[in-house]
């Protein structure tokens, strides 16, 4: 039996050199559903649009039609990631003009799949792993040097937004 997703849930997409993975997680970071898709031989030379379509397909499998539960999506990609684009990845997008606007491409594909806009962010895959560890993993509650908390988690970001004075 596949568990039902109760809002808010978040999509985590992981782009690798040979496959795409998607996890639908609940507000506590527990995996509700998971999917994986092989990118096939020659994945390093796939057009960015095909990679975005593969990520969205994998996401659709993990969501299982329950898009109303999805509050947002994070995409982890190897390579140099800046401003919603992959500026260089040794094992992806060979032959494509850099930078590759992967966030916009994935957001457009998710919009088609969901029938609505899905907020989307793109980070380097190592940064995505560190954020996950800070949210629900071994680094939960840890503070970096300087005393400030690490990357905001979805729940913490909502609490801060609700506590902020109006207009800020």
């Amino acid at each position: 039996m596949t568990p039902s997703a109760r809002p808010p849930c978040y999509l985590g997409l992981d782009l690798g050199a040979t496959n795409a993975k998607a996890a639908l997680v609940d507000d506590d970071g527990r995996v509700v559903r998971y999917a994986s898709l092989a990118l096939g031989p020659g994945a390093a030379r796939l057009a960015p649009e095909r990679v975005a379509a593969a990520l969205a397909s994998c996401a659709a499998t993990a969501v299982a039609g329950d898009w109303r539960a999805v509050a947002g999506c994070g995409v982890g990609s190897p390579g140099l990631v800046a401003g919603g684009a992959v500026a260089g990845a040794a094992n992806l997008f060979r032959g494509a003009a850099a930078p590759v606007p992967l966030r916009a491409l994935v957001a457009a594909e998710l919009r088609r799949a969901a029938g609505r806009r899905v907020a989307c962010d793109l980070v380097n895959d190592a940064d995505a792993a560190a954020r996950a560890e800070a949210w629900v993993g071994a680094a939960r509650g840890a503070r970096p040097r300087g005393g400030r908390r690490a990357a905001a988690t979805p729940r913490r970001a909502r609490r801060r937004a609700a506590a902020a004075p109006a207009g800020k």
Side-chain angles (χ1 to χ4, degrees):
M1 180 175 144
T2 303
S4 175
R6 291 194 314 197
C9 284
Y10 308 92
L11 260 174
L13 303 180
D14 178 25
L15 176 59
T18 59
N19 58 50
K21 296 175 186 166
L24 182 68
V25 299
D26 67 15
D27 204 31
D28 293 317
R30 289 184 299 257
V31 175
V32 176
R33 287 188 289 269
Y34 172 84
S36 181
L37 176 69
L39 296 176
R45 297 204 180 277
L46 283 176
E49 296 79 10
R50 292 213 29 220
V51 171
L55 283 166
S57 174
C58 197
T61 300
V63 170
D66 201 3
W67 286 101
R68 70 188 181 289
V70 178
C73 175
V75 181
S77 172
L80 177 61
V81 175
V86 179
N91 53 359
L92 288 169
F93 310 124
R94 290 187 189 153
V100 173
L102 190 59
R103 179 177 54 201
L105 293 171
V106 171
E109 290 293 333
L110 291 177
R111 180 180 211 123
R112 273 192 274 288
R116 67 173 178 86
R117 181 183 175 277
V118 176
C120 191
D121 195 15
L122 174 69
V123 297
N124 173 271
D125 53 359
D127 292 336
R131 288 181 185 186
E133 284 296 329
W135 181 25
V136 294
R140 181 182 224 167
R143 293 184 183 271
R145 283 182 275 163
R148 291 186 31 213
R149 284 191 177 257
T153 63
R155 180 177 287 167
R156 199 175 316 138
R158 279 198 313 279
R159 284 185 190 146
R160 283 186 193 148
K168 295 236 176 186

